[in-house]
């Protein structure tokens, strides 16, 4: 059911609220899902049971399309809008079976400066209010699970401080009514880890009890902050343990935004409930005083975390404005994590659409960031490989890379961006060419989508198209999906269909067997154009530590700015002749990657002077939300 665009284009929320939505049970049925395979959350959203994968295990997979972008301005270049518009064109206009798969946005940016992430104009996922706010509570589940583990860490340090080994044993293995003691399931896992081959608590020696129940956490090594899904810069660094009952155990810690949690990254990468249980247990929160890693399983929390996360593991089913189905699931940060929606959602979608269908997903930030992690982390975990990559480009961003004035969120754009300027645009085209080359390194066809703005001229769009083809793209087309919905993306959809029909020779950028430095240097040189990598002493120490602990075989999830191909957000275009600095490296062992830090990565945003929440309210007469965008 194509949309009927209005001129001038209304606000995103007005378009979304004017849409006639299908009941989600109808969307599910048309997708091939039975009512017993979904859990309803109101009339317009549902969760999909994971056993759908068992039912469809023999069905051929559909075509897998990843949407990425050139290096963006701080305003973003419209990846989600393009993803939705492309899906609507494929499904509502060309009759293809299609599913859109995207991340759930954090409410921090929604109420801050960025706004929501449901798409825009006539290419949105709806209801956009639900999409941008609580949805089905997955982020809340991540928040509570993460903070439960944080509380467990400090509580364990406190109780070990004043209790002897025998007392700890009695607390963790309490006697039942008959006086018998037994091990809880998590203790059985720790026994196996420690190599203590005993099944009866009465057989434990005092040394066994000490090893089993005294974690001896070194507070100076704790890396597990607390989280909240709100932008609050004043929580970045805090002191805890200042009360009279904490026995003087004060320490400095901080808060991250909820979507930066490793638990969110695990949700996006896990293969199922059992795998999630193992990954949650492997999460490292710090070291003990002997220099050994301490995990969530050691703290006895992994089982409870799994209970909190079990419903969040089911993908959320929604719809686009043109009633094509959309799965919304997980929302890991694209700087310190991999910035992609979940493996499980993609796997379900690819089975549901079948051999002749299409799954359109997107990666956070530019091709050197989210797409690189999509290829080397997500595809490695899932065993899937893309049929095509769509690179979203805008004339605005390319002019910025050509030396145009600084683009600042919340401020009007300079005249250079509103008027035809082929010289400025030409100077920025190497950034597009670099991203096309980055896609082709993986052996996957590339299509460039020029996301059209009203100020773009035909000469500018043609110049971008010619540059994309010269760089090796299969095709480059203008897409007007924001204004026209799926009808404005038909040319893009046809280009994607053609590209998906081309042979692909998918390959990873590096094998896992390479050492940590070689993997880092390959990404920096091949994807960012650096001449080499320099390591600060802290990074050198972590490389030695992680190699000793057996983590060197994990993939690399580089943490860098998204505003430049390099590590420096001020360097636009295609920086050359520089060395890429690594100041530190951290490990997300449960999620299954190492993340080197290039510069200061902010994991808790702050609010601007005039936050987006300033305009958000409830129309008390109609009950409708106003002011979201």
């Amino acid at each position: 059911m194509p949309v009927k665009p209005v001129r001038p284009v209304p606000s995103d929320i007005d378009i979304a609220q004017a849409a006639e939505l299908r009941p989600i049970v109808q969307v599910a049925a048309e997708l091939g899902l039975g009512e017993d395979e979904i859990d309803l959350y109101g009339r317009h959203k549902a969760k999909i049971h994971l056993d759908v994968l068992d039912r469809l295990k023999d069905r051929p997979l559909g075509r897998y399309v990843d949407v990425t972008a050139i290096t963006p301005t701080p305003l973003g270049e419209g990846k989600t809008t393009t993803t939705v518009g492309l899906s609507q064109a494929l499904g509502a206009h060309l009759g293809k079976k299609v599913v859109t798969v995207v991340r759930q946005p954090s409410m921090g940016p929604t109420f801050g400066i960025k706004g929501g992430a449901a798409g825009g104009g006539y290419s949105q996922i709806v209801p956009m209010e639900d999409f941008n706010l609580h949805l089905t509570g997955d982020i809340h589940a991540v928040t509570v699970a993460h903070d439960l583990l944080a509380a467990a860490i400090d509580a364990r340090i406190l109780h070990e401080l004043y209790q002897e080994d025998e007392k700890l044993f009695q607390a963790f293995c309490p006697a039942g009514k008959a006086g018998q003691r037994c091990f809880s399931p998590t203790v059985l896992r720790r026994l196996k880890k420690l190599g203590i081959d005993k099944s009866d608590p009465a057989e434990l020696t005092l040394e066994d009890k000490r090893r089993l129940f005294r974690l001896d956490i070194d507070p100076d090594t704790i890396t597990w902050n607390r989280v909240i899904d709100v932008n609050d810069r004043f929580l970045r660094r805090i002191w805890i343990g200042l009360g009279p009952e904490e026995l003087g155990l004060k320490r400095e810690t901080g808060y991250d935004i909820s979507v930066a949690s490793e638990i969110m990254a695990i949700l996006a990468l896990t293969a199922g409930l059992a795998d999630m249980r193992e990954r949650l247990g492997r999460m490292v929160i710090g070291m003990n005083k002997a220099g050994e890693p301490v995990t969530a399983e050691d703290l006895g929390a992994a089982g409870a975390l799994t209970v909190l996360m079990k419903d969040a593991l089911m993908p959320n089913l929604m719809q686009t404005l043109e009633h094509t189905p959309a799965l919304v699931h997980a929302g890991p940060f694209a700087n310190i994590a991999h910035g992609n929606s979940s493996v499980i959602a993609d796997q379900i979608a690819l089975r549901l659409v079948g051999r002749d269908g299409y799954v359109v997903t997107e990666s956070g930030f530019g091709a050197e960031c989210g797409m690189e992690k999509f290829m080397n982390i997500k595809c490695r975990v899932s065993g899937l490989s893309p049929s095509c990559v769509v690179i979203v480009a805008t004339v605005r961003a390319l002019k910025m890379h050509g030396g145009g004035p600084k683009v600042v969120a919340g401020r009007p754009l300079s005249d250079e961006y509103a008027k035809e300027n082929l010289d400025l645009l030409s100077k920025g085209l190497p950034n597009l060419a670099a991203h096309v080359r980055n896609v082709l390194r993986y052996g996957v066809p590339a299509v460039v989508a020029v996301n059209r703005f009203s100020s773009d001229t035909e000469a500018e769009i043609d110049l971008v198209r010619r540059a994309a083809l010269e760089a090796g793209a299969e095709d480059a087309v203008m897409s007007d999906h924001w204004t026209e919905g799926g009808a404005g993306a038909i040319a893009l959809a046809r280009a994607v269909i053609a590209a998906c029909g081309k042979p692909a020779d998918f390959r990873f950028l590096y094998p896992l067997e390479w050492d940590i430095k070689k993997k880092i240097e390959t990404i920096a040189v091949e994807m960012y154009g650096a001449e080499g990598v320099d390591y600060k002493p802290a990074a050198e120490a972590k490389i030695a530590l992680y190699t000793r602990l057996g983590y060197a075989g994990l993939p690399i999830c580089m943490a860098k700015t998204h505003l430049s191909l390099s590590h420096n957000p001020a360097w636009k275009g295609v920086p050359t002749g520089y060395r890429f600095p690594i100041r530190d490296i951290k490990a997300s062992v449960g999620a299954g990657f190492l993340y080197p830090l290039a510069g200061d990565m902010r994991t808790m945003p702050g609010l601007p002077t005039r936050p987006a929440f300033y305009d958000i309210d409830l129309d008390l007469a109609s009950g409708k939300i106003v002011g979201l965008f």
Side-chain angles (χ1 to χ4, degrees), residues 265-271 275 279 338 342-343 377-378 381 591 593:
I266 287 172
L267 178 63
L269 289 171
T270 190
D275 180 59
R279 287 174 177 268
H338 64 293
S342 78
V343 165
I377 298 176
K378 185 177 182 182
V381 168
F593 53 73

Side-chain angles (χ1 to χ4, degrees), residues 322-334:
E322 299 188 41
H323 304 151
T324 60
L327 299 190
V328 184
H329 199 217
F333 252 29

Side-chain angles (χ1 to χ4, degrees), residues 53-133:
L53 283 171
D54 294 329
R55 177 171 68 83
L56 301 175
K57 64 180 183 298
D58 296 325
R59 180 179 291 182
L61 300 177
R63 306 296 179 92
Y64 194 25
V65 180
D66 182 49
V67 179
T68 184
I70 63 171
T71 307
T73 68
L75 308 177
E77 308 319 306
K79 281 198 310 297
T80 305
T81 308
T82 303
T83 300
V84 177
L86 171 59
S87 296
Q88 292 180 157
L90 287 166
H93 296 269
L94 298 182
K96 303 295 182 181
K97 198 158 188 179
V98 65
V99 175
T100 311
V101 184
V102 294
R103 288 180 292 169
Q104 178 185 354
S106 163
M107 284 189 287
T110 296
F111 288 106
I113 195 169
K114 181 179 178 292
Y122 287 99
S123 294
Q124 296 186 57
I125 294 173
V126 285
M128 71 93 83
E129 305 98 308
D130 293 8
F131 182 98
N132 288 316
L133 299 176

Side-chain angles (χ1 to χ4, degrees), residues 112 303 444 463 605 615:
V444 179
L463 184 59
D615 295 314

Side-chain angles (χ1 to χ4, degrees), residues 338-352:
H338 64 293
N340 285 264
S341 54
S342 78
V343 165
I344 281 179
D346 287 358
Q347 289 173 331
I348 289 175
L350 285 164
R351 295 291 182 190
L352 286 169

Side-chain angles (χ1 to χ4, degrees), residues 45 104-105 107 111 129-140 229 316:
K45 56 186 185 291
Q104 178 185 354
M107 284 189 287
F111 288 106
E129 305 98 308
D130 293 8
F131 182 98
N132 288 316
L133 299 176
H134 304 279
L135 196 54
T136 58
D138 294 352
I139 294 179
H140 297 303
D229 198 34
N316 304 293

Side-chain angles (χ1 to χ4, degrees), residues 37-53:
E37 293 178 320
I38 60 173
D39 289 340
L40 297 178
Y41 282 70
R43 296 185 68 245
H44 297 123
K45 56 186 185 291
K47 279 191 167 292
I48 301 175
H49 294 184
L50 301 189
D51 55 14
V52 168
L53 283 171

